[in-house]
Amino acid sequence: MSELIPISMVAHQAFCPRRAWLEAVGETTDTHQVAVGVQAHVPADDPSGSRSRRYRAVDVVSHDLGVVGRCDTVELDDDAAMTVVEHKATPVRRRPEVTEAMRVQVALLAGALADMGYPVAGQAIYFTNHHTRVDVPLTPADMELAREMVAATARTLAAEDAPPPLEDHRRCSRCSHISVCLPDERPLAPVTRRIVVADPDTQILHLTTPGSRAYVTRGRIEVSKSGEKLGTYPIERVQGLVVHGNVDLSSGLIREVLWRSLSVVWCTSSGRVSGWARPAQGPNGGPRLRQHVASHHGRIDLARQFVAAKVANQATLLRRHGDAPATVTRLRELQREALEAPSLTDLFGIEGDAAARYFEHFLTMLKPRVVAAEELTFSVRTRRPARDPINAALNFCYGLLTADMLRAVVACGLDPHAGFLHSSGRNKPALALDLVEEFRAAVADSVVTNAFNNGEIRARDFSTVLGTTRLGDRGRRALISGYERRVTGTFRHPLFGYDVTWLRAMEIQARLVLGVIDGTQPRYQGIKIR
């Protein structure tokens, strides 16, 4: 026996096959549009609201149609004949019009009721925003269309590749999944349609005070230390948690965060990512499997773009703020060579050559008076341990960047460990590190240079013991503040032409990688600042 298909899934198919696919692979959004729809459905989802001739949340099934579903409301007339009434909100399309997807949905609900042996007298849509009820008379053609949609949904769900997005279609502007579908971004060209997405007004919560403890109480996250309350935040405004160093989280807080499909990233006090937690359920299980296969076989096209974008952004940052025109010219040449590199070995050689030239002149991006006053020195990049304040600050910001990229990769349902440039055999989050490369100069290096140039961090914020330089609490908070300003600030996307935050840009890049893997993205292109 074939598996029954949810009627709601068939309605999504009637609206857009790709929308049905996204729902099937678990892609969800928390837009205002979705919130309004959920709120409008609250009364219809409560069976206790049933009356003698009006039943709420009635489950239906039809093996003949191959569907299962739930009627919002079923009304009975004097002859016990039933009328199916579906509740719909119209937050975007503000006209109470019955669409083809709605007709398909009520046709299948009525058909299932009839198959269960109940007489059906009619169908209707109740538009909650307008408090308007519109009867939906059905014809044999409607029932035939509903059957065809069930068959089409089955084909969509059984397909190996994701359906392509609609092209320049007006339905996309009304779709709550446009932020994960990215129909306009697929051609990798400027987006002419203006898309307005509600600002969720959420933010990343960084926990930095050593010895403190965070827990959840009455819908708020509270942080305390030695009986003193350090802060309290509404959990609805938290987009994710980043824990720095010795900070405890209560199990209740971890459970609540995961239940809300948020992630937690733990970092050491120097910024190194030591672990993360994510919800057990995530989208795109099938593409995630294909990601592992692609990672095993290698995708040099993706690796080339990661490195080329990294070198391009290094050149741009050095051109803007440094004093090394010859190096900038050479970095541009290396950027082009990266796009033609025949192997990963050649790519690593180009990347290393570019990094050496870039960091050789990194100090020129700091103001001479700052360098002199703080007695800053820097000539070579040292990861662990850091040998000077600049390297310590870079290490810390790279850790923050990796934490954000981890959250972006996980939000797409991809596996952070299966990469295309970094080796998965090193047991590090390879894909997250792949994507981090494009953002190192544009985000992390920019934050560090600005923090020194603006006096937000000083040499006294660092301590050096036995050749290892460490960042103090005040400097750590200053860098986190500068980093959050940077990633939540907007800029004009160099490829798509609309304003976007750096955080959103990270998720877009991860979703472009997902598109290459699931077959809907013709090619990947790294983000390059101008």
Side-chain angles (χ1 to χ4, degrees), residues 41 44-45 55-60 69-74 84-86 109-110 112-113:
H41 249 265
D45 291 336
Y55 297 97
R56 294 280 177 83
V58 178
D59 293 326
V60 296
R70 170 174 288 187
C71 300
D72 290 341
T73 302
V74 173
V84 176
V85 182
E86 279 298 292
L109 290 170
L113 272 177

Side-chain angles (χ1 to χ4, degrees), residues 13-36:
Q13 170 79 27
F15 180 78
C16 168
R18 183 167 170 80
R19 171 67 181 270
W21 171 277
L22 292 174
E23 290 282 348
V25 298
E27 289 278 19
T28 59
T29 61
D30 56 355
T31 62
H32 172 71
Q33 182 181 354
V34 172
V36 169

Side-chain angles (χ1 to χ4, degrees), residues 155-170:
R155 290 193 295 271
T156 295
L157 301 184
E160 293 188 1
D161 294 335
L166 299 177
E167 293 186 10
D168 194 23
H169 203 289
R170 60 187 180 88

Side-chain angles (χ1 to χ4, degrees), residues 232-264:
T232 174
Y233 312 91
I235 197 167
E236 288 83 4
R237 296 187 60 185
V238 174
Q239 197 174 18
L241 292 180
V242 180
V243 183
H244 300 268
N246 182 26
V247 179
D248 286 337
L249 303 184
S250 73
S251 59
L253 174 57
I254 296 174
R255 184 172 59 249
E256 181 72 15
V257 169
L258 297 181
W259 181 81
R260 291 173 180 268
S261 297
L262 306 177
S263 56
V264 186

